[in-house]
Amino acid sequence: MPELPEVEMARRYLEDNIVGHRVIDVEVKDVGVLSGIEPSQLRERIVGRTFEKAMRHGKQLFVMMDDGNSLTIHLGMTGELSIVQGDDDRPYTRALFRLEGGSSLDYIDQRKFGTIGICGPIDSFLEVRSLGPDALEIPKDEFITRIRAHRRAIKAVLLDQSVLAGIGNLYADEVLFGSRIHPMSRADELTPGQLGSLHRLVGEVLRKSIEIGSDFSSLPAGYLLRSRRAGSECPRGNGILTSMKVNGRTTILCLKCQPER
Ligand SMILES: [Zn+2]
């Protein structure tokens, strides 16, 4: 499932491949991927426009067009973006944006949890969806204030996109392991030291994952994501990893490194 690092990689891919290109046609093969817009409206608002800039907030992508509006793309669980030449569409293509010059942007999504739409000002889009600040951009003081405002389990707070946008299940486990915090610890009871460590690790882990193209086997030794499985040895060589459910999500932790207080 794409999390912030994978979505950032998709943003860079769009920046390199479609920015500067004009859309000459759009073909919606599955209306179910459209959010708040009919196929005819999408066509009307995008054909003839040129893509100017690819942006990301949390797990949400925006491609700004030359009229100031943006194409919005959320990859959901299995969404993928691919530049293809000519009419080369694939089994799970849901929408195809034909670009001047002969290539097309293909939106592929097997399980169809992703969405495509058009928005005006990005700030209003984020506000309507109650998305918190981007996990890579949030300053330390704001991070601490937002996390501390909740009495829930810290893992649930990290996953709450209205607190912080972009952290999913895998990265939440990684930053809690790195900070030696039990996932059920109450967010408002964490010490300033623990909160500072969490903020540092959120930035560090996400940047590292982007740098290595989300290939977890290339992560440095000591990262949980290299072997995130119950029964595996703790990456610090200190105990065996176990699993539990937090807010219905499978959570992997080391009880020796992350003791419950
Ligand atoms: Zn351990």
Side-chain angles (χ1 to χ4, degrees):
M1 179 165 175
E3 293 198 25
L4 187 150
E6 294 78 36
V7 178
E8 174 60 18
M9 284 153 57
R11 185 198 70 77
R12 293 177 184 185
Y13 182 75
L14 292 177
E15 187 74 33
D16 291 345
N17 288 285
I18 71 166
V19 164
H21 291 262
R22 201 164 71 95
V23 182
I24 54 167
D25 195 13
V26 57
E27 203 177 319
V28 177
K29 294 180 181 278
D30 189 323
V31 178
V33 301
L34 296 186
S35 168
I37 196 164
E38 298 295 324
S40 60
Q41 294 171 307
L42 179 70
R43 168 185 294 267
E44 199 172 293
R45 295 183 66 177
I46 204 169
V47 171
R49 301 264 67 92
T50 298
F51 290 128
E52 284 198 331
K53 187 174 166 61
M55 288 168 285
R56 178 193 58 73
H57 186 99
K59 304 180 201 175
Q60 180 71 51
L61 286 168
F62 301 92
V63 194
M64 193 180 265
M65 302 182 289
D66 56 357
D67 64 353
N69 293 323
S70 297
L71 171 68
T72 64
I73 304 170
H74 195 291
L75 300 174
M77 288 186 74
T78 53
E80 267 176 70
L81 295 162
S82 177
I83 301 296
V84 293
Q85 297 303 320
D87 275 347
D88 179 24
D89 62 344
R90 314 206 181 158
Y92 299 110
T93 292
R94 307 302 177 187
L96 201 62
F97 299 88
R98 295 190 200 283
L99 307 175
E100 203 168 41
S103 62
S104 302
L105 172 67
D106 194 353
Y107 177 71
I108 305 153
D109 194 351
Q110 185 171 357
R111 296 189 60 189
K112 295 200 281 182
F113 286 100
T115 52
I116 286 177
I118 298 278
C119 76
I122 291 174
D123 285 351
S124 320
F125 178 96
L126 300 176
E127 204 180 312
V128 167
R129 283 156 186 79
S130 304
L131 285 172
D134 182 72
L136 259 185
E137 305 288 333
I138 187 169
K140 182 173 163 187
D141 290 351
E142 190 182 355
F143 176 88
I144 292 177
T145 308
R146 294 184 77 95
I147 297 283
R148 267 193 159 161
H150 300 272
R151 294 162 54 95
R152 288 176 285 152
I154 179 61
K155 175 149 180 193
V157 175
L158 287 173
L159 293 179
D160 183 340
Q161 302 296 300
S162 71
V163 176
L164 192 64
I167 301 279
N169 199 39
L170 301 183
Y171 292 98
D173 282 1
E174 181 68 60
V175 299
L176 289 170
F177 174 76
S179 311
R180 299 176 182 260
I181 297 171
H182 190 283
M184 289 296 286
S185 305
R186 263 176 56 172
D188 60 342
E189 290 178 348
L190 296 177
T191 65
Q194 286 177 314
L195 289 162
S197 159
L198 264 184
H199 176 260
R200 183 177 54 80
L201 275 162
V202 165
E204 212 173 278
V205 167
L206 294 174
R207 281 193 186 87
K208 178 53 84 177
S209 186
I210 294 166
E211 187 189 310
I212 56 149
S214 284
D215 169 13
F216 294 157
S217 65
S218 305
L219 286 169
Y223 270 69
L224 181 72
L225 289 174
R226 283 173 58 101
S227 57
R228 184 184 165 279
R229 276 184 310 275
S232 293
E233 200 185 334
C234 161
R236 292 193 186 94
N238 178 24
I240 297 293
L241 301 177
T242 54
S243 80
M244 63 185 292
K245 292 269 185 190
V246 181
N247 268 29
R249 306 296 299 277
T250 299
T251 299
I252 304 290
L253 70 158
C254 170
L255 283 166
K256 279 202 175 164
C257 297
Q258 301 160 267
E260 200 162 5
R261 287 205 297 161

